[in-house]
Amino acid sequence: MADTLFNDVMILLGASVVAAALFRRLHLPPVLAYLAVGFLVGPHLAGWIGRPEELAFLSEFGLVFLLFSLGLEFSVPRMRALKTTVFGLGACQVAVCSGLFWALGCALGLSPAAALVAAGALGLSSTAIVTRELARWNELDSPHGHAAVGVLLFQDLAALLFLILIPAMAGDGSQLLSDLGLMLIKGLGLVAVMLMIGKWVLPFVFQEISRARSEELFVLTVLLVALFSAWLTHSLHLSMALGAFLAGMMLGESHFRHQIEADIRPFRDILLGLFFVSVGMLLDPQVLLAQWYWVVIGVACLLATKALLITGLARLSGRPLDSALRTGLVLSQGGEFGFALLALASQQRLMDNESVGLVVAIIIGSLVVTPSLIRHNQQLTRRLCRSTTPTQENPHTTAELSAATAPLSGHVIVCGFGRVGQTVGRFLTQEKLEWIAIDADPIRVHEAASAGEPVVFGDAQRLEILRALGIERARQVVITVNQLSHALAILRAIQPLELENLKVLVRTQDDADLETYKAAGATEVIPEVLEGSLMLVSHVLVNLEVPFRRVARSIQNAREARYSMLHGYFHGQQSQLTDKRGNPLLRRHPLTLTADAWACGRRLDDIALPEVCGILVSRVVRASGENLEEPTGDLMLACGDTLVLSGLADHIEEAETRLLTG
């Protein structure tokens, strides 16, 4: 049996490597590659894996890590910010879509329990694909992007309910209501206990682990937390996936979230690939050939029905027709949570393999269409609306960028808005020099733009984006990205323009690739040594003909202030949140005061953030666009003000609570 299992794993890994590479070339999601591998090598087609049940325990681990990763991405602050959309549009979408699909499943002959599982699987959308594609086309901050994110957040909550219900429905049905009630009580109690552990125990544990500066110990601790949570829920006769999701949600709000994501990714990707392979094995080609028309009809009906229902619900919530229709289009598919629910239902024998295979095929078909649907959602909306009124444009398309940067001349373009890029921007602002930054991290761009920084989302390697930023009128380009291939790609995009008056500065960690950068067109290459950020800033300002004495004075002032100007920055997806000793780094975070915020109408001194939370307000951006640097304590706050908070992440959360609720 051991030899057979080893052979099966080798076959799956080899086939997965080939399929993943092929699907990547075709710009298709890797999940489809794994599903295709399971379909092709499974017992129903090639028969290379004759006993897939032997791989069941590996696929269960894959399911655990899928839910753990989704839990890490679950954001309570974002849900709080989008609470109207989450609990309004999101709740209505799940209820209406699932209810309709459940009624349809019962009408087609499924048992009520099987119909509920199928309805849940079809009613949920793909968080991974939708958010990735919206970020790719810079639509996360658009009205339909915000609506989609809000709905997806509620779908994550609804999936928790399904994970609790499925084991309860797997009984004989004689005491279904009492079983459901017991499962719900267990689930809610478990959520409460694990949230308390996540708030008071895990931060202390991970703080101590990080101080040990041992990658192995850190990874082992993460694995232990994820698997222990899964085992705990399993011991309570709940889904292992539920425990993994709760563990991810606990750690998702900690300082260590990004490090955990990076460390857990290899285990997640490998085991998750095996999970999707096992799902693909559920597809029976004979059943699909006999019912191919049902698959086609199912995909078309799923996309059309969800798009129309979500559009209608969005319109009822007060959104314009174009925004509502675009929201419906981007959320019209099934999702990866559907695979998890179907796999769990199959294990609990709530659905037969034929029904599971049919629903899986429908979800896969909808996922294949989704990238193109999101990419062209604006064009489809225009055609479907049949109106002469244009839909709302994405403010960061090349045409809009060109219009927005038209007044700029002799400005600086900062490619990469990480810590060094933000340092450059602060000194340029201090010298009242015009600049604009571009970054490919949607979270960082959203954070910084909300705080009034001139930063846009985009790929600086694309010539049309650089032209839209006014590179032909710029005096200087500063490349702060820390990847050789990325920086060289930007240089090669600039080189054909042959702009003699344009200076291009490149930041690098050392001088190993100095000649490579020079050959690619860099005017100057600044290796990072001690005070690397200050050195880069001095070069930028001198090249902009700022008097050297003023430059030296600015640098000296920063030193005398113990580098306070450089402390704290807007964090993104790949930011390091602790130093080498495990101590948390300062961060900056924007917070906009809503109409019902407690701080509205109060002075900064009355709120006393430094004394209560240890937080400083480094900037206030008025609703009118006015920027107030280092505001005084007698400043009266108003609704719509955006406060840039500087401090530790835990203290920022306390400050948010005080500002919003008192």
Side-chain angles (χ1 to χ4, degrees):
M1 181 176 294
D3 290 340
T4 302
L5 179 61
F6 183 77
N7 293 337
D8 289 347
V9 171
M10 291 301 297
I11 291 172
L12 292 181
L13 290 178
S16 298
V17 169
V18 174
L22 177 62
F23 276 59
R24 183 177 180 84
R25 289 289 184 90
L26 298 175
H27 303 288
L28 293 174
V31 61
L32 299 181
Y34 297 125
L35 292 168
V37 167
F39 175 67
L40 293 174
V41 306
H44 300 297
L45 196 60
W48 294 350
I49 309 297
R51 301 174 63 182
E53 63 275 4
E54 294 180 1
L55 298 171
F57 74 98
L58 289 178
S59 66
E60 287 186 16
F61 279 124
L63 181 59
V64 165
F65 281 101
L66 167 64
L67 272 296
F68 182 72
S69 300
L70 291 174
L72 284 174
E73 297 172 1
F74 187 85
S75 173
V76 175
R78 181 179 292 184
M79 184 180 68
R80 189 185 300 122
L82 298 171
K83 57 186 177 184
T84 302
T85 303
V86 173
F87 297 103
L89 180 59
C92 291
Q93 183 272 323
V94 172
V96 173
C97 290
S98 299
L100 178 61
F101 291 141
W102 177 80
L104 183 60
C106 291
L108 293 175
L110 293 177
S111 66
L116 183 60
V117 174
L122 296 173
L124 303 179
S125 304
S126 175
T127 301
I129 294 179
V130 170
T131 54
R132 187 193 67 181
E133 291 298 315
L134 286 175
R136 178 183 179 186
W137 301 110
N138 198 25
E139 295 182 0
L140 270 177
D141 288 330
S142 63
H144 65 280
H146 284 167
V149 170
V151 172
L152 290 170
L153 284 172
F154 187 85
Q155 288 182 0
D156 290 343
L157 293 175
L160 286 179
L161 179 61
F162 282 111
L163 291 174
I164 294 173
L165 291 178
I166 288 177
M169 294 187 298
D172 57 10
S174 59
Q175 297 179 337
L176 179 60
L177 290 179
S178 61
D179 290 344
L180 287 175
L182 181 61
M183 288 291 182
L184 286 174
I185 292 174
K186 286 183 179 179
L188 293 175
L190 183 66
V191 169
V193 171
M194 295 189 73
L195 287 178
M196 287 189 290
I197 294 174
K199 183 171 183 177
W200 289 302
V201 178
L202 287 185
F204 172 77
V205 171
F206 275 93
Q207 187 71 25
E208 293 302 314
I209 294 296
S210 65
R211 290 183 185 277
R213 300 177 62 182
S214 171
E215 294 183 3
E216 294 85 357
L217 184 59
F218 190 89
V219 173
L220 283 173
T221 305
V222 173
L223 292 175
L224 176 63
V225 170
L227 295 178
F228 176 78
S229 300
W231 171 82
L232 181 61
T233 53
H234 180 70
S235 64
L236 294 175
H237 304 288
L238 295 169
S239 167
M240 293 175 64
L242 173 62
F245 183 89
L246 293 175
M249 189 171 66
M250 288 188 300
L251 296 174
E253 299 301 323
S254 70
H255 306 308
F256 307 97
R257 169 191 166 188
H258 301 289
Q259 189 64 44
I260 290 172
E261 285 181 323
D263 290 338
I264 208 72
R265 189 176 296 118
F267 303 95
R268 181 198 66 189
D269 291 347
I270 294 173
L271 294 173
L272 192 53
L274 292 176
F275 165 71
F276 286 122
V277 167
S278 68
V279 173
M281 290 181 185
L282 298 174
L283 296 173
D284 189 340
Q286 294 183 353
V287 174
L288 294 181
L289 287 175
Q291 300 184 357
W292 65 268
Y293 48 89
W294 283 114
V295 175
V296 176
I297 293 173
V299 171
C301 290
L302 174 65
L303 295 173
T305 302
K306 287 186 72 174
L308 290 174
L309 287 176
I310 295 173
T311 299
L313 293 172
R315 283 289 288 156
L316 290 175
S317 67
R319 287 171 172 78
L321 177 59
D322 61 323
S323 177
L325 186 52
R326 295 178 75 175
T327 304
L329 288 173
V330 301
L331 293 175
S332 59
Q333 73 292 131
E336 58 278 341
F337 243 135
F339 296 137
L341 297 180
L342 291 168
L344 185 60
S346 178
Q347 294 171 8
Q348 300 286 347
R349 302 188 184 280
L350 283 176
M351 295 181 68
D352 58 81
N353 289 339
E354 182 177 339
S355 300
V356 170
L358 183 60
V359 179
V360 167
I362 292 173
I363 295 177
I364 292 173
S366 68
L367 292 179
V368 172
V369 178
T370 296
S372 297
L373 202 60
I374 295 178
R375 178 178 182 179
H376 302 291
N377 72 84
Q378 188 176 41
Q379 295 89 323
L380 290 172
T381 299
R382 285 177 172 173
R383 292 181 181 179
L384 292 173
C385 286
R386 297 176 180 271
S387 172
T388 57
T389 303
T391 59
Q392 181 174 357
E393 293 283 349
N394 183 358
H396 292 162
T397 59
T398 53
E400 292 293 326
L401 277 180
S402 298
T405 58
L408 297 179
S409 181
H411 57 292
V412 179
I413 299 176
V414 180
C415 299
F417 204 57
R419 188 162 196 167
V420 176
Q422 292 175 36
T423 300
V424 174
R426 290 170 195 169
F427 274 88
L428 292 173
T429 300
Q430 179 178 292
E431 295 296 332
K432 295 182 172 54
L433 295 168
E434 294 181 321
W435 62 280
I436 188 168
I438 182 170
D439 196 277
D441 187 326
I443 295 177
R444 178 181 293 133
V445 171
H446 176 70
E447 289 264 299
S450 299
E453 302 285 2
V455 56
V456 296
F457 176 87
D459 185 1
Q461 303 175 66
R462 295 169 55 189
L463 180 58
E464 63 270 23
I465 297 293
L466 293 173
R467 287 183 183 273
L469 293 173
I471 190 171
E472 290 156 332
R473 304 185 306 276
R475 294 175 62 187
Q476 191 167 168
V477 173
V478 184
I479 302 175
T480 68
V481 296
N482 196 26
Q483 294 178 349
L484 175 64
S485 59
H486 193 174
L488 289 177
I490 298 174
L491 288 170
R492 294 188 185 111
I494 297 173
Q495 207 168 27
L497 297 175
E498 297 182 355
L499 301 172
E500 296 181 358
N501 296 326
L502 180 70
K503 290 183 171 68
V504 183
L505 274 67
V506 180
R507 161 253 186 159
T508 180
Q509 287 188 335
D510 52 45
D511 58 356
D513 300 302
L514 189 145
E515 295 302 325
T516 304
Y517 285 120
K518 288 282 189 178
T523 307
E524 290 189 41
V525 180
I526 299 93
E528 280 193 345
V529 288
L530 295 175
E531 300 186 312
S533 295
L534 292 180
M535 182 188 297
L536 175 58
V537 168
S538 66
H539 280 269
V540 172
L541 298 179
V542 168
N543 279 309
L544 292 171
E545 300 177 2
V546 176
F548 180 77
R549 289 185 178 179
R550 189 188 302 174
V551 174
R553 186 168 59 251
S554 297
I555 300 299
Q556 187 60 31
N557 288 340
R559 290 195 184 103
E560 291 175 354
R562 301 178 62 87
Y563 303 97
S564 61
M565 183 179 183
L566 310 183
H567 289 169
Y569 69 112
F570 303 106
H571 287 270
Q573 292 174 336
Q574 306 300 326
S575 299
Q576 292 291 333
L577 301 186
T578 59
D579 59 20
K580 293 182 179 180
R581 298 181 179 178
N583 299 314
L585 294 173
L586 295 176
R587 63 176 296 177
R588 290 192 173 195
H589 176 71
L591 174 67
T592 301
L593 299 180
T594 57
D596 55 350
W598 173 82
C600 291
R602 286 180 166 84
R603 299 186 310 133
L604 277 176
D605 279 344
D606 296 334
I607 300 172
L609 288 180
E611 294 81 7
V612 177
C613 310
I615 290 293
L616 294 176
V617 179
S618 60
R619 181 191 303 169
V620 174
V621 182
R622 294 291 194 183
S624 62
E626 180 184 8
N627 279 299
L628 303 176
E629 294 282 350
E630 299 181 359
T632 58
D634 59 354
L635 177 67
M636 187 72 69
L637 299 179
C639 298
D641 286 349
T642 297
L643 280 62
V644 181
L645 308 176
S646 298
L648 300 178
D650 283 344
H651 297 165
I652 286 177
E653 293 178 2
E654 296 176 11
E656 286 186 347
T657 302
R658 180 168 179 81
L659 288 167
L660 295 177
T661 65

